[in-house]
Amino acid sequence: MDVTIIPPDSELPVERAFSLSMTVRTFKGRRDVDIHLFRHTWHPAEEQDYDWDALIGPPIATESSVSPAEIAGSRLVLLESFTREERDRIVDFLTRQYQDRLTAILSRPLTFPIPAGLTGLSQVRAGENIGLVDFSRIRSYTLPIPLRGLYDLNQHKPIIATIETNP
């Protein structure tokens, strides 16, 4: 398993600033499925701890305006991310628990300011090929960090199609 932790280029403005994803060798009939991990709950007072004007920047597409709901999505990007300690605990758990089932773990720092107009992972709704992994339902998950993972099977070819094209 390849574990890649990309360090920040400079000092980060807040402690909660790390994204985390894992790649599962086989998952729901697909190979090398990327699952983007995120915190799905937090204490409401935590939202008051941040200087949002300094942390949220202009939208990526400068010709568009951003609604308050879109700014809220960009706030979620930060609130759903991890501190360095949380990230390290989750990486340790994943490597111990799933080392034979994962091909990669990747963490990188968020880029600041966070562009306005982003969508938080918790805002994405599950569907036929988009789903959520709820770690609280996994008996072996004992960390106090509320953790979910978002995957999109549309991004990965079915294993059967791979076998048929590679006899």
Side-chain angles (χ1 to χ4, degrees):
M1 172 184 4
D2 179 33
V3 177
T4 304
I5 307 290
I6 300 171
D9 291 337
S10 59
E11 186 175 336
L12 297 169
V14 292
E15 187 177 322
R16 182 163 305 290
F18 296 93
S19 68
L20 188 58
S21 64
M22 64 183 187
T23 304
V24 181
R25 190 174 313 280
T26 58
F27 184 77
K28 296 192 178 250
R30 310 293 172 117
R31 187 172 315 284
D32 293 324
V33 174
D34 296 319
I35 299 179
H36 305 282
L37 304 173
F38 64 99
R39 289 187 333 144
H40 64 93
T41 60
W42 48 85
H43 193 279
E46 186 177 342
E47 294 183 49
Q48 308 306 314
D49 292 341
Y50 298 109
D51 178 2
W52 293 111
D53 292 334
L55 296 172
I56 306 294
I60 293 171
T62 56
E63 65 277 352
S64 63
S65 61
V66 180
S67 71
E70 291 173 314
I71 291 172
S74 294
R75 286 181 174 196
L76 286 177
V77 169
L78 177 77
L79 293 166
E80 293 172 349
S81 67
F82 303 100
T83 65
R84 187 181 316 263
E85 179 187 342
E86 289 169 340
R87 178 206 60 200
D88 292 346
R89 290 180 72 185
I90 294 167
V91 168
D92 181 58
F93 168 79
L94 294 173
T95 54
R96 281 185 294 106
Q97 205 62 29
Y98 300 111
Q99 73 179 15
D100 295 336
R101 296 172 58 190
L102 300 180
T103 57
I105 296 173
L106 172 65
S107 175
R108 66 181 64 219
L110 299 178
T111 301
F112 290 95
I114 298 168
L118 299 181
T119 300
L121 295 176
S122 62
Q123 293 177 300
V124 177
R125 296 295 159 228
E128 184 177 332
N129 287 316
I130 296 174
L132 294 169
V133 176
D134 185 350
F135 282 80
S136 69
R137 294 177 171 235
I138 299 171
R139 209 172 271 142
S140 64
Y141 184 74
T142 57
L143 297 179
I145 304 161
L147 185 63
R148 290 207 175 137
L150 177 71
Y151 60 87
D152 182 355
L153 297 178
N154 294 316
Q155 303 298 314
H156 309 280
K157 293 180 182 176
I159 292 172
I160 293 172
T162 304
I163 293 170
E164 289 174 0
T165 58
N166 297 320

